[in-house]
């Protein structure tokens, strides 16, 4: 009877289409809003992801995230103390100082001066133009291509060899890197740690982060705990720190509520549309379900028929919604040159599948109630 | 003797909104197998209610009823469902054919419900459609058929699983006289084979001559039973 159930479903073309579109729309809203939210979240730890070789991040205990909560620097002696902890293979400085660039002609722009270790280059994103060693030359900096584009839009299109000023120091563009998208309105400027220190206004503390490589075979969470115990600093694995950055972003902005509202709305609208249309569809066919019941169709047979109808519109709608969300994501990310955060991990596909499953189950349950409640004797009432 | 029906003191009261309707007030009826029985009587006298109880789609309140020598009282809901599926064929006034399915698919439904493989069921359905003169129409939707054709499809559907009893409520009311007559002829010729029994509720005096037994109901009771009206005599309605 399953194929007959499907024929009944397809025969009512308009309603079938309405059902698939309604569920598709719900799947689209739920998936797309979640994907944008996840994309934004990933921006919150973009700077952590820029240093994939740093397995452990050490920072001031008050530091809650990277860049968006500001920088609380550590005492310069911290580096030696961390290096002294058992299980640390090596540890390097990582400085992040918000400054202003003077691009010439009165053009000033916010930037984040990032000082990196000039031996391991840990924390330098992939170089797209120039040679890493050139960063050792006098006044050399690397610009992030996205930041450079911002400068260009403002009126200063910097090329290799061009110079500008950071805090009254002459900076020469030696190359370009591709940083991960992050929640930071300024532009990233990379240079060596020593130069970054000398360019920043002199303060008692200048050490923002320490990036640590554990000895081979070391238990990393254990090492973090030991660093914390021995130094009084905060040490996190890269993964934990990334999560912490996301959490800081979630709990200190209204962003989760905003996206959550859209997701819940998509769910409610989807349930309402699917529930109503599916119920209408079943009501229209109630007469035939009644006849089947009279002819001896078991409850199980009827349940299966309704379920297969619901499952079909559910999976088609889900496919449509996911497809539309993917296309939206592909086009959006491309058109915005990466400004649109859009992440669709497998668990999100599973989550929206579960949401659609729930919507369809609610719709089917409502319909099944009327089908099962139906007295077979109605078939003789005209 | 094998019986189609053995009914004693059967009652049915409908209760809705505090109002009680005594639809059946003690029906006594004995019908042998292999006969065509018509249930007649004025509107509201309980014909449809009685037919529904006989078909096992409505529970009665008191009295006893044996259908095809099986005691309906001893069956639970699932048992009655199985009983209907295996042993009863249905013909409705408004046909109740599923418009999304072709004629052959509609006919195949009871066979499939009884576990017949789909392809074989369709094959059987097509044979039956041929027997009711609709071989050409097998792929058509009931939507595109005349009332008489639809009722013939419904008859084929009521026959496919070879039930022992076919129940029909007003099978000709929606049809004109000539078509109604055709449908009755087909019902007689095709349905009444193999010792099968037929119970037809009708208002339609024009078809009464087809009956072997005519039971006249009045106010929830059997008022009179006559046999052999098929030979010409028609009782008062
Ligand atoms: N589901 C129900 N709920 C309440 N009362 C009902 C129900 N079904 C039937 N009745 C009542 O029971 C009585 C018998 O109804 P039934 O349909 O059996 O009559 P009938 O002889 O088939 O009439 P008709 O010739 O008009 O079809 C009527 O008074 C009717 O109103
Ligand atoms: Mg009636």
């Amino acid at each position: 009877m399953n194929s007959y159930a499907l024929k009944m479903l397809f025969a009512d073309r308009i309603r079938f289409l309405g059902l698939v579109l309604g569920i598709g729309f719900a799947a689209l809203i739920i998936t797309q809003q979640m994907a944008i939210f996840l994309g934004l979240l990933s921006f919150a730890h973009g700077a952590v992801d820029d240093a994939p070789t740093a397995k452990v991040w050490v920072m001031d205990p008050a530091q809650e995230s990277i860049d968006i909560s500001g920088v609380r620097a550590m005492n310069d002696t911290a580096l030696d103390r961390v290096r002294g902890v058992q299980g640390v293979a090596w540890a390097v400085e990582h400085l992040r100082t918000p400054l202003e660039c003077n691009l010439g002609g009165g053009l000033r722009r916010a930037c984040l001066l990032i000082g990196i270790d000039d031996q391991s280059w840990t924390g330098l994103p992939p170089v797209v133009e120039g040679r890493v060693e050139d960063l050792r030359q006098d006044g050399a900096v690397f610009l992030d291509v996205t930041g450079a584009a911002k400068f260009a839009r403002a009126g200063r299109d910097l090329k290799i060899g061009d110079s500008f000023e950071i805090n009254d120091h002459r900076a020469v563009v030696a190359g370009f890197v591709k940083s991960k998208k992050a929640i930071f309105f300024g532009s990233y400027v990379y240079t060596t740690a020593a130069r970054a220190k000398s360019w920043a206004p002199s303060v008692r503390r200048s050490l923002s982060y320490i990036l640590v490589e554990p000895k081979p075979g070391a238990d990393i969470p254990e090492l973090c705990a030991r660093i914390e115990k021995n130094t009084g600093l905060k040490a996190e694995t890269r993964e934990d720190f990334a999560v912490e950055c996301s959490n800081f972003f979630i709990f200190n902005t209204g962003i989760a509520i905003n996206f959550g509202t859209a997701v819940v709305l998509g769910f409610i609208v989807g349930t309402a549309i699917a529930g109503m249309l599916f119920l209408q569809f079943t009501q229209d066919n109630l007469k035939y379900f009644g006849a089947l019941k009279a002819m001896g169709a078991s409850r199980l047979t009827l349940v299966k028929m309704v379920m297969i109808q619901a499952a079909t519109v559910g999976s088609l709608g889900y496919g449509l919604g996911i497809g539309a969300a993917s296309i939206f994501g592909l086009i959006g990310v491309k058109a915005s040159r990466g400004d649109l955060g859009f992440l669709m991990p497998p668990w999100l596909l599973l989550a929206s599948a579960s949401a659609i499953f729930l919507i369809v189950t609610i719709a089917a349950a409502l319909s099944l109630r009327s089908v099962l409640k139906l007295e077979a004797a109605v078939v003789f009432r005209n | 003797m094998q019986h189609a029906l053995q009914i004693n003191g059967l009652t049915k009261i409908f209760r809705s909104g505090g109002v009680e309707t005594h639809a059946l007030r003690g029906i006594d009826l004995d019908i042998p197998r292999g006969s065509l029985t018509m249930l007649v009587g004025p509107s509201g006298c309980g014909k449809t209610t009685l037919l529904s109880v006989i078909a096992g789609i409505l529970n009665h309140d008191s009295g006893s009823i044996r259908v095809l020598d099986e005691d309906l009282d001893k069956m639970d809901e699932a048992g009655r469902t199985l009983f209907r599926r295996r042993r009863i064929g249905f013909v409705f006034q408004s046909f109740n054919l599923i418009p999304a399915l072709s004629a052959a698919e509609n006919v195949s439904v009871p066979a499939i419900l009884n576990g017949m493989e789909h392809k074989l069921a369709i094959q059987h359905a097509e044979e039956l459609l041929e027997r009711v003169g609709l071989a050409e129409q097998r792929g058509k939707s009931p939507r595109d058929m005349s009332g008489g054709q639809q009722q013939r499809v419904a008859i084929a559907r009521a026959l496919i699983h070879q039930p022992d009893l076919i129940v029909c409520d007003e099978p000709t009311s929606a049809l004109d006289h000539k078509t109604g007559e055709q449908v009755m002829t087909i019902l007689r010729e095709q349905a009444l084979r193999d010792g099968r029994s037929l119970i037809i509720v009708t208002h339609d005096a024009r078809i009464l001559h087809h009956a072997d037994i005519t039971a006249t109901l009045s106010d929830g009771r059997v008022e009179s039973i006559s046999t052999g009206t098929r030979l010409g005599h028609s009782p008062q309605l």
Side-chain angles (χ1 to χ4, degrees):
Chain A
M1 292 302 295
N2 294 346
S3 65
Y4 290 177
L6 286 181
K7 285 195 174 170
M8 285 165 78
L9 177 67
F10 300 148
D12 193 346
R13 283 214 192 98
I14 305 258
R15 192 159 295 146
F16 170 66
L17 220 68
L19 267 167
V20 171
L21 286 179
I23 293 171
F25 183 70
L28 169 66
I29 294 289
I30 292 171
T31 314
Q32 183 240 32
Q33 291 293 307
M34 282 293 289
I36 292 181
F37 179 55
L38 291 177
L40 261 180
L41 274 193
S42 77
F43 291 175
H45 52 76
V48 180
D49 300 339
D50 269 337
T53 55
K55 297 198 182 73
V56 173
W57 284 68
V58 179
M59 66 206 89
D60 185 271
Q63 188 72 38
E64 292 179 291
S65 78
I66 196 154
D67 297 346
I68 44 177
S69 57
V71 184
R72 282 175 192 78
M74 298 171 280
N75 203 307
D76 286 352
T77 60
L79 184 58
D80 284 333
R81 280 187 284 142
V82 169
R83 283 179 173 153
V85 175
Q86 191 206 334
V88 172
W90 48 257
V92 297
E93 304 170 279
H94 185 78
L95 313 181
R96 301 180 82 85
T97 317
L99 288 174
E100 207 176 54
C101 303
N102 181 354
L103 299 173
L107 197 58
R108 289 172 173 277
R109 281 292 179 270
C111 72
L112 189 76
L113 184 63
I114 300 168
I116 49 180
D117 175 53
D118 62 0
Q119 299 302 312
S120 65
W121 304 115
T122 305
L124 186 70
V127 175
V128 293
E129 204 184 336
R131 290 177 312 147
V132 183
E133 303 77 50
D134 293 344
L135 208 48
R136 295 207 182 96
Q137 287 167 7
D138 203 25
V141 296
F142 273 26
L143 296 181
D144 165 43
V145 284
T146 314
K150 282 184 200 167
F151 288 166
R153 282 201 292 278
R156 184 78 204 273
D157 190 5
L158 291 164
K159 299 268 183 300
I160 289 184
D162 291 349
S163 67
F164 60 101
E165 277 180 10
I166 297 180
N167 207 20
D168 296 331
H169 296 274
R170 184 168 176 271
V172 183
V173 179
F176 293 91
V177 294
K178 176 86 189 103
S179 309
K180 291 249 164 33
K181 176 82 189 152
I183 299 175
F184 179 69
F185 57 87
S187 305
Y188 289 148
V189 178
Y190 296 86
T191 190
T192 61
R195 197 174 300 127
K197 233 180 263 184
S198 70
W199 284 359
S202 67
V203 285
R204 197 162 51 87
R205 295 153 176 257
S206 64
L207 187 51
S208 323
Y209 298 94
I210 298 169
L211 307 182
V212 173
E213 172 69 18
K215 284 207 169 118
D219 181 289
I220 298 180
E222 228 168 65
L223 177 64
C224 288
R226 202 170 323 125
I227 293 173
E228 290 191 346
K229 188 161 156 277
N230 291 5
T231 64
L233 299 167
K234 177 166 144 186
E236 302 262 12
T237 66
R238 185 182 62 242
E239 295 78 12
D240 286 352
F241 188 39
V243 170
E244 203 178 331
C245 292
S246 296
N247 287 344
F248 180 87
F249 181 64
I250 292 174
F251 294 115
N252 288 278
T253 64
I255 226 113
I257 305 248
N258 285 285
F259 282 95
T261 311
V263 169
V264 169
L265 217 68
F267 185 82
I268 292 174
V269 170
T271 312
I273 294 180
M276 241 169 48
L277 286 177
F278 199 68
L279 199 61
Q280 264 180 23
F281 166 73
T282 318
Q283 294 300 327
D284 284 357
N285 284 297
L286 215 49
K287 191 176 149 185
Y288 308 118
F289 282 118
L292 290 174
K293 220 169 177 177
M295 291 189 286
S298 66
R299 291 169 76 86
L300 183 67
T301 303
L302 296 172
V303 169
K304 271 202 216 153
M305 287 181 73
V306 172
M307 292 306 264
I308 207 141
Q309 290 167 340
T312 303
V313 289
S315 4
L316 287 175
Y318 173 72
L320 191 73
I322 293 292
S326 310
I327 291 170
F328 168 88
L330 283 176
I331 293 177
V333 168
K334 199 159 193 179
S336 70
R337 277 186 254 105
D339 275 347
L340 177 74
F342 196 90
L343 279 186
M344 273 201 335
W347 71 260
L348 174 57
L349 299 184
L350 218 72
S352 41
S354 312
I356 296 305
F357 180 78
L358 204 64
I359 288 176
V360 166
T361 306
I362 292 171
L366 288 174
S367 300
L368 264 177
R369 226 175 61 105
S370 55
V371 170
L372 292 179
K373 223 174 52 183
L374 182 73
E375 270 186 70
V378 297
V379 289
F380 284 148
R381 265 178 240 143
N382 300 303
Chain B
M1 186 175 72
Q2 283 197 315
H3 293 268
L5 299 178
Q6 290 165 283
I7 300 175
N8 279 302
L10 189 77
T11 68
K12 174 71 191 178
I13 302 172
F14 288 110
R15 293 181 178 84
S16 62
V19 184
E20 291 195 348
T21 309
H22 292 255
L24 303 178
R25 298 171 184 264
I27 298 277
D28 298 310
L29 193 61
D30 249 40
I31 305 285
R33 289 221 193 169
S35 54
L36 193 164
T37 304
M38 298 239 185
L39 296 179
V40 299
S43 185
C45 68
K47 305 181 296 289
T48 297
T49 306
L50 178 58
L51 192 71
S52 303
V53 174
I54 291 170
I57 54 178
L58 187 68
N59 296 334
H60 59 280
D61 291 317
S62 65
S64 72
I65 174 164
R66 288 171 68 81
V67 179
L68 300 168
D69 300 304
E70 288 196 61
D71 200 334
L72 288 190
D73 274 321
K74 295 220 173 83
M75 296 179 197
D76 58 8
E77 192 54 50
R80 263 194 295 276
T81 302
L82 193 64
F83 174 75
R84 294 199 300 269
R85 190 190 309 158
R86 297 239 170 101
R87 307 199 67 185
I88 310 283
F90 287 86
V91 177
F92 311 100
Q93 176 179 354
S94 51
F95 323 130
N96 281 341
L97 298 169
I98 301 173
L101 306 182
S102 71
E105 287 168 336
N106 266 291
V107 173
S108 75
V109 166
I112 290 173
L113 288 177
N114 275 295
M116 189 182 281
E117 195 255 326
H118 183 259
K119 233 175 158 170
L120 198 60
I122 291 290
Q123 211 178 309
H124 273 273
E126 286 173 353
E127 284 164 23
L128 275 158
L129 282 174
E130 201 177 321
R131 269 166 55 184
V132 297
L134 290 175
E136 305 291 302
Q137 320 283 326
R138 61 176 180 266
K140 256 197 190 168
S141 159
R143 220 182 293 127
D144 305 324
M145 292 181 159
S146 71
Q149 288 176 326
Q150 288 189 59
Q151 201 56 303
R152 275 144 73 191
V153 174
I155 291 169
R157 178 176 67 180
L159 287 169
I160 190 168
H161 53 308
Q162 306 192 316
D164 299 304
L165 173 66
I166 293 180
V167 295
C168 318
D169 195 9
E170 314 271 8
T172 58
S173 308
L175 309 173
D176 62 49
H177 174 56
K178 188 164 155 261
T179 317
E181 193 54 40
Q182 266 175 9
V183 163
M184 277 314 296
T185 307
I186 288 172
L187 256 178
R188 274 214 70 87
E189 283 173 1
Q190 299 301 330
L192 218 49
R193 287 183 176 179
D194 316 321
R196 194 173 288 133
S197 314
L198 234 80
I199 299 179
I200 298 175
V201 162
T202 189
H203 260 127
D204 191 351
R206 299 166 306 192
I207 64 168
L208 285 179
H209 62 276
H210 287 284
D212 299 318
I213 300 169
T214 305
T216 308
L217 270 61
S218 169
D219 197 16
R221 292 194 182 85
V222 178
E223 194 185 59
S224 65
I225 296 179
S226 56
T227 51
T229 47
R230 194 162 25 132
L231 305 173
H233 172 69
S234 113
Q236 291 280 281
L237 280 179

